[in-house]
Amino acid sequence: MLMSLLRFTGRRLVSQTCPGLKASKKHKFPLEMARPSSNMADFREVFAKAKHIAIITGAGVSAESGVPTFRGAGGFWRKWQAQELATPEAFARNPSRVWEFYHYRREVMLSKHPNPAHIAIAECEKRLSKQGRSVVVITQNIDELHRKAGTKHLLEIHGSLFKTRCTNCGNVAANYKSPICPALAGKGAPDPETQDAAIPVEALPQCEEDGCNGLLRPHVVWFGETLDPDILTAVEKELEICDLCLVVGTSSVVYPAAMFAPQVSARGVPVAEFNMEATPATNRFRFHFPGPCGTTLPPALARHQTEIIS
């Protein structure tokens, strides 16, 4: 079921693989189960036995590190919301403006640090790997805070702020330069009164691969774009073998990630949701732990008394 659904997603639902499309009436979750439990002791017993743990994370994890989400009321950069800038059309019309927006976000992220939730996940992965158990993080976030915290097995389904892709040759490369190019130094102020003076295209980030010199773009999935099929395939494989799934800091309304955990739950695998509040998928899960992820997750993933530490 999961395999066919993800294949359908990758091939057909082009509009639904953008990082901002919300659930519609055509895509309902299955019938609700019993009300989820908030009993941490019960969760800990399930956790102690799990061999393959999949952790799906969203913006709520990064928000606790002070990362702006640009979603909802007040989520503006200058006078635009993310969905007005994070599109191929916006980049084609005004690459300078789009690059200022992403330059601002990159610079902000360079000053941010992983919070206790990121650290708990990374420490859990490291500890369990010594016991022959696996943890994979499937994240919708593009900020690389999981990587910064030390997570190794990471699937970034929406890409990364710190990778670029050439619009000419397609080369993808990590890029942590600050600023990413001289022309963007001091640019990107979010103040609504900032004058929108365009930077010449030739001064924007350029590809250095074999003298290509093509215009670079952020290697992130924009609204209206499909997810990388290789990433989706990797996600599919992990969700099919997992025997415990955690949904952390995500609203469960952004497709296709909103489908992942309900499909895992549908095959009888325990799913635990850690979020500030209930979501449209909450009643599909066995556990729900309300509150900040940085508070609820560390005790959930801490060493269990039955664990054998080598």
Side-chain angles (χ1 to χ4, degrees):
M1 177 68 175
L2 179 62
M3 182 179 292
S4 61
L5 181 57
L6 288 181
R7 284 176 179 166
F8 180 64
T9 301
R11 290 199 307 262
R12 298 287 301 279
L13 298 184
V14 175
S15 64
Q16 288 195 328
T17 54
C18 67
L21 189 66
K22 298 186 178 181
S24 69
K25 293 181 179 179
K26 291 191 287 185
H27 299 281
K28 296 180 179 179
F29 294 112
L31 294 176
E32 294 180 355
M33 298 167 59
R35 186 176 182 84
S37 168
S38 294
N39 188 311
M40 183 60 77
D42 288 349
F43 169 80
R44 295 279 289 160
E45 288 301 311
V46 174
F47 167 72
K49 299 172 184 176
K51 300 294 185 183
H52 302 283
I53 302 172
I55 304 178
I56 302 167
T57 69
V61 175
S62 295
E64 292 182 38
S65 289
V67 178
T69 62
F70 298 102
R71 290 188 182 277
F76 286 82
W77 176 82
R78 297 181 185 169
K79 61 182 181 181
W80 297 281
Q81 288 190 302
Q83 55 265 42
E84 299 176 81
L85 298 168
T87 71
E89 294 77 16
F91 190 70
R93 285 194 305 267
N94 197 326
S96 171
R97 179 185 296 155
V98 173
W99 257 121
E100 281 203 54
F101 173 57
Y102 279 94
H103 170 68
Y104 167 74
R105 297 179 70 179
R106 285 166 56 95
E107 295 298 303
V108 166
M109 283 315 308
L110 290 173
S111 70
K112 302 301 180 185
H113 303 284
N115 62 57
H118 295 107
I119 294 168
I121 291 170
E123 290 180 346
C124 177
E125 178 195 23
K126 182 178 180 180
R127 187 180 81 248
L128 266 54
S129 68
K130 297 176 182 177
Q131 303 169 30
R133 303 161 71 191
S134 70
V135 174
V136 61
V137 176
I138 301 164
T139 188
Q140 300 170 73
N141 301 332
I142 61 174
D143 51 47
E144 292 202 5
L145 285 178
H146 282 298
R147 196 179 301 279
K148 215 175 197 181
T151 292
K152 304 298 184 186
H153 195 182
L154 181 65
L155 297 173
E156 297 166 312
I157 63 173
H158 290 159
S160 167
L161 279 172
F162 297 100
K163 290 180 181 176
T164 57
R165 184 166 79 248
C166 180
T167 58
N168 182 39
C169 71
N171 183 60
V172 175
N175 189 312
Y176 295 91
K177 294 179 183 176
S178 175
I180 190 170
C181 69
L184 284 167
K187 301 289 186 179
D191 188 334
E193 302 303 317
T194 301
Q195 295 297 313
D196 192 27
I199 299 170
V201 171
E202 60 271 17
L204 292 172
Q206 304 289 316
C207 181
E208 299 176 359
E209 185 73 9
D210 296 326
C212 172
N213 296 320
L215 176 64
L216 297 179
R217 56 160 281 179
H219 185 55
V220 297
V221 179
W222 281 334
F223 292 87
E225 294 184 324
T226 57
L227 299 187
D228 184 329
D230 292 335
I231 295 290
L232 277 180
T233 297
V235 168
E236 169 189 314
K237 290 179 179 178
E238 294 294 340
L239 296 182
E240 286 185 340
I241 66 169
C242 76
D243 52 7
L244 174 62
C245 180
L246 278 62
V247 183
V248 184
T250 177
S251 60
S252 293
V253 296
V254 178
Y255 280 86
M259 296 185 288
F260 295 162
Q263 287 299 318
V264 170
S265 179
R267 65 180 179 87
V269 173
V271 177
E273 182 179 56
F274 296 79
N275 203 40
M276 287 297 295
E277 56 195 21
T279 71
T282 297
N283 286 344
R284 292 296 305 150
F285 304 148
R286 186 176 301 186
F287 300 99
H288 173 73
F289 298 101
C293 306
T295 300
T296 58
L297 202 58
L301 298 182
R303 178 178 174 269
H304 192 274
Q305 61 185 5
T306 64
E307 286 184 31
I308 299 174
I309 305 298
S310 58

